[in-house]
């Protein structure tokens, strides 16, 4: 898989390079490639982590409203600080602050939900979905009463697009993602135990509550990264996690996590290459991914795999 | 049973308030002496007030019907693919025949809404039976998938502006006389449902019971499907979809009155009108003289109410 990704990356970088102005084009492409891979890894890993915590193969952080929470946080920040104040902050500091707040919020909110609702999975999902709707509605409401100039700042993060990548945040986002993934990797043995379910995990000596909350915080960090870079993507993680489980046929997180990250990167880079260079339809990849992911979700529902 | 008079008076009070609130100053007492005020009232305020009330009432009744059709309390016309279907139909006719007359657009929207709602019903039938919560989840995802199709086609054909007005939150600010009359059709369709209210109540009991009681379930299903689709299509065409009304209002009324639909349908309609009118008024007052669409406010309020409905203990069985 790593080989395949490397091959795709090479194609992405070198395809159709003319003689003139190479350095510039390569620079542009490299930025985009780095962003796509970062987002892919963030989405893939966060989905696997979340599914382990939720003990459910059909859930993804975005279905449960994580990215909507991030957008809401952005909107609230713009309102309280004002658009100018927000732009005035150094982007790095602002981004890190956002991530910190987001992790705290998500761990609290979804921690309560998961630790309380473990017995009634469908109800928990529905709650998450509606929470997502609620966050989006509140963002929309706030968007209506704020200054239009400030609203433009918010709008940049509210729609998914693999084209409009915020390059200023990229180095930081890559670092944060790398760190979060490294932490997740370090936890993989504990995650394996966690996946057994609450009671076996506790009797094997796992601090269930603590691990759950820290994993949720990691998920929140990764979701913040991907949402900040390309906006909310609802079903992409579902496809990727499904792929990783299907290809690897193992429950070992040390294998699953990289597999999810890699397959996500392959899908995104390959898909973007196909749509942007071959079909000339750069804007539509996110829509197609959502469509396919939604259908896949319905299929999982119909097969009764929600348990 | 004292719900009905209370709601009626609330509706009247809100309607009066709605007539007095707006960008232009209108003194209701002076209206007969002041032709300018009369004009504002008849051309803009009154149509808007009626449009809001009709929308709320019709959507709530449609909500009762769709809940009877899928036998699930947690769906509404906005989470069953119906609204997206209507938008898809409108989009198709706009592309194929840009100058088509209005009645044709309405028919296209209604038919296409019927198709997608029927699709939803077909999906529901194949779900594991005992999972009450899966039905709304499937509905939400199906709406999302259909919505992404609409967005995709809208992007490709440069019609995103239209799509925005149909599916993003409902707006009443554009309503003037001559631009909302379609909503009367929605109200009429909802009124039709009342005549066969008992049949829908029986349908809600389940297929076997209904058939055993001598009800032709297929025919009632078709009628319900038609009414829900027509109501939703009209609302989507004129003001855009309003979230959660058709989902929350039937639940709230059923908590008080139970499931005797013949008695409760008028109350559901009243309650829906009151709720949407209150939200529209609120939207007009918060950032005067500008407005917040009623749909945005209902998105927030409705989501909160829905969460409460999800996590409360059932009122009775």
């Amino acid at each position: 898989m790593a080989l395949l990704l490397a091959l795709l990356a090479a194609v992405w970088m070198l395809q159709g390079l003319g003689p003139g102005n190479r350095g510039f084009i390569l620079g542009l492409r490299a930025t985009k490639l780095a962003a796509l891979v970062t987002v892919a890894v963030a989405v893939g890993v966060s989905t696997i982590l979340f599914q382990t915590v939720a003990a459910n193969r059909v859930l993804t952080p975005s279905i449960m409203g994580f990215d909507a929470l991030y957008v809401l946080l952005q909107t609230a920040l713009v309102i309280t600080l004002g658009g100018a104040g927000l732009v005035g902050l150094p982007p790095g500091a602002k981004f890190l602050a956002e991530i910190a707040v987001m992790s705290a919020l998500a761990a609290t909110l979804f921690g309560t939900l998961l630790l309380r609702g473990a017995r009634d999975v469908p109800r928990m999902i529905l709650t998450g979905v509606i929470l997502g709707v609620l966050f989006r509605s509140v963002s929309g409401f706030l968007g209506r009463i704020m200054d239009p100039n400030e609203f433009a700042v918010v709008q940049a993060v509210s729609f998914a697009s693999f084209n409009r990548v915020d390059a200023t945040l990229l180095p930081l986002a890559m670092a944060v993602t790398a760190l979060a993934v490294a932490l997740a990797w370090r936890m993989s043995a504990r995650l394996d135990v966690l996946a057994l379910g609450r009671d076996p995990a506790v009797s094997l000596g796992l601090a269930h509550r603590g691990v759950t909350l820290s994993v949720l915080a990691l998920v929140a960090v990764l979701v913040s990264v991907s949402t900040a870079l390309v906006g909310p993507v609802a079903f992409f993680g579902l496809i990727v996690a499904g792929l990783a489980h299907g290809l690897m046929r193992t429950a070992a997180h040390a294998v699953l996590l990289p597999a999810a990250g890699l397959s996500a990167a392959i899908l995104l880079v390959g898909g973007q290459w196909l749509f942007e260079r071959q079909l000339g339809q750069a804007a539509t990849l996110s829509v197609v991914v959502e469509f396919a992911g939604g259908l896949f979700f319905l299929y999982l529902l119909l097969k009764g795999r929600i348990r | 049973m004292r719900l009905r008079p209370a709601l009626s008076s609330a509706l009247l009070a809100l309607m009066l308030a709605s007539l007095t609130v707006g960008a232009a100053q209108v003194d209701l007492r002076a209206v007969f002496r002041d032709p300018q005020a009369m004009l504002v009232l008849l051309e803009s305020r009154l149509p808007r007030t009626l449009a809001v009330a009709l929308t709320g009432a019709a959507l709530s009744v449609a909500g009762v019907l769709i809940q009877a059709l899928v036998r699930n309390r947690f769906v509404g016309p906005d989470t069953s693919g119906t609204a997206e279907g209507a938008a898809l139909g409108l989009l198709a006719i706009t592309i194929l025949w840009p100058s088509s007359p209005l009645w044709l657009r309405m028919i296209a929207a209604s038919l296409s809404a019927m198709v997608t709602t029927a699709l939803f019903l077909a999906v529901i039938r194949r779900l594991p039976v005992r999972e009450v919560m899966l039905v709304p989840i499937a509905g939400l995802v199906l709406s999302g998938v259909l919505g992404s199709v609409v967005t995709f086609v809208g992007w490709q054909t440069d019609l995103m502006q239209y799509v925005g007005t149909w599916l993003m939150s409902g707006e009443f600010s554009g309503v003037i006389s001559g631009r909302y009359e379609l909503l009367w059709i929605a109200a009429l369709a909802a009124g039709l449902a009342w005549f066969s209210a008992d049949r829908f109540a029986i349908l809600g009991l389940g297929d076997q019971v209904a058939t055993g009681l001598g009800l032709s379930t297929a025919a009632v299903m078709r009628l319900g499907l038609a009414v829900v689709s027509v109501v939703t299509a009209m609302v989507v065409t004129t003001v855009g979809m309003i979230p959660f009304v058709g989902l929350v209002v039937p639940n709230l009324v059923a908590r008080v009155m139970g499931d005797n639909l013949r008695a409760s349908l008028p109350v559901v309609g009243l309650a829906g009108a009151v709720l949407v009118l209150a939200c529209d008024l609120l939207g007009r007052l918060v950032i005067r003289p500008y407005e917040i669409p009623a749909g945005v406010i209902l998105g927030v309020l409705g989501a909160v109410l829905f969460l409460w409905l999800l996590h409360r203990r059932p009122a009775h069985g």
Side-chain angles (χ1 to χ4, degrees), chain B residues 42-45 47-48 51 172-181:
Chain B
L42 288 183
E43 288 297 314
S44 160
R45 296 282 168 83
R48 176 170 186 159
F172 293 99
S173 58
V175 172
I176 47 171
S177 129
R179 289 206 30 209
Y180 79 104
E181 279 72 4

Side-chain angles (χ1 to χ4, degrees), chain A residues 25-135:
Chain A
I25 294 182
L26 279 181
L28 271 185
R29 288 188 178 183
T31 310
K32 204 156 179 178
L33 180 68
L36 286 177
V37 172
T38 309
V39 169
V41 169
V43 171
V45 172
S46 65
T47 308
I48 294 277
L49 289 177
F50 189 73
Q51 291 188 347
T52 298
V53 176
N56 185 306
R57 286 277 183 82
V58 184
L59 290 186
T60 73
S62 353
I63 293 179
M64 298 291 287
F66 266 75
D67 46 10
L69 181 62
Y70 180 81
V71 174
L72 177 59
L73 189 70
Q74 273 278 22
T75 318
L77 269 177
V78 172
I79 284 216
T80 46
L81 299 176
L86 197 67
V87 177
L89 289 175
K94 166 180 153 267
F95 187 51
L96 287 177
E98 268 171 16
I99 288 182
V101 176
M102 170 84 186
S103 306
L105 270 178
T108 323
L109 185 65
F110 294 101
T112 1
L113 200 59
L114 285 176
L115 294 170
R116 266 189 46 215
R119 273 162 215 77
D120 192 355
V121 174
R123 179 177 306 227
M124 187 182 76
I125 301 176
L126 195 53
T127 307
V129 173
I130 299 299
L131 274 178
V133 175
L134 177 63
F135 297 150

Side-chain angles (χ1 to χ4, degrees), chain B residues 44-136:
Chain B
S44 160
R45 296 282 168 83
L46 188 65
R48 176 170 186 159
T49 306
L50 286 172
V52 176
L54 288 175
T55 304
L59 275 181
S60 306
V61 172
V64 171
L65 298 187
I66 188 104
Q67 284 172 13
L69 288 182
V70 300
R71 291 189 201 103
N72 190 300
R73 280 242 168 257
F74 296 116
V75 289
D78 48 329
T79 58
S80 53
T82 316
E84 282 76 12
L88 210 55
L90 282 171
L91 202 56
I93 196 108
T94 311
I95 292 165
L96 296 175
W97 190 9
S99 60
S100 55
L102 189 61
W103 58 267
L104 203 69
R105 281 164 187 266
M106 285 159 26
I107 291 173
S110 306
L111 282 178
S112 151
M114 275 182 220
V115 171
T116 50
T117 316
L119 177 74
F120 172 62
L121 290 176
V123 168
I124 295 300
R125 293 208 177 287
R126 318 214 359 225
L127 282 174
V129 176
R130 304 197 53 78
E131 286 292 358
V132 176
M133 298 287 170
L134 287 190
V135 174

Side-chain angles (χ1 to χ4, degrees), chain A residues 113 116 120 122-123 125-127 129-131 133-134 137-138 140-141 144-145 235 281 284 287-288 290-291 294-295 297-298 301-302 304 306-307, chain B residues 123 126-128 131 133-134 136-138 140-142 145 148-149 152 156 169 171 244 286-287 292-293 296-297 299-300 303-304 306-307 310-311:
Chain A
L113 200 59
R116 266 189 46 215
D120 192 355
R123 179 177 306 227
I125 301 176
L126 195 53
T127 307
V129 173
I130 299 299
L131 274 178
V133 175
L134 177 63
S137 308
V138 175
F141 178 80
R144 292 274 175 175
I145 53 178
F235 292 114
Q281 300 269 359
T284 50
V287 179
V288 173
E290 290 307 278
F291 179 70
L295 286 181
F297 185 85
L298 281 177
L301 273 190
L302 290 178
I306 198 99
R307 290 266 136 256
Chain B
V123 168
R126 318 214 359 225
L127 282 174
E131 286 292 358
M133 298 287 170
L134 287 190
I137 295 170
L140 282 159
V141 175
L142 185 67
V145 170
S148 77
V149 175
F152 180 77
Q156 295 298 317
S169 47
E171 270 261 39
F244 288 117
V286 172
I287 48 170
I292 299 170
V296 174
I297 294 181
V300 178
V304 172
F306 188 25
L307 285 175
L310 261 183
H311 288 276

Side-chain angles (χ1 to χ4, degrees), chain B residues 221-270:
Chain B
M221 285 278 232
R222 275 198 297 274
L223 176 66
L225 194 64
V227 171
V228 171
S229 304
V230 168
V231 167
T232 311
M234 295 309 126
V235 171
V236 166
T237 319
T238 36
V239 289
M241 198 57 199
I242 305 215
F244 288 117
V245 180
L247 196 153
V248 178
V249 174
N251 276 297
L252 296 177
V253 174
R255 278 177 72 82
V256 181
M257 299 187 59
D259 280 337
N260 175 3
L261 292 186
R262 182 163 293 281
S264 69
L265 265 186
V267 178
V268 168
L270 270 176

Side-chain angles (χ1 to χ4, degrees), chain A residues 173-214:
Chain A
M174 285 168 79
V176 170
T177 309
L179 184 71
V181 172
L183 282 173
W185 170 269
R186 286 259 328 265
M187 290 177 73
S188 53
R190 267 173 290 167
L191 287 168
D192 292 348
V193 178
L194 186 68
L196 299 173
R198 186 176 178 278
D199 296 350
V202 171
S203 51
L204 285 168
L206 188 81
H208 183 267
R209 199 189 151 81
V211 174
T212 299
L213 289 181
S214 50

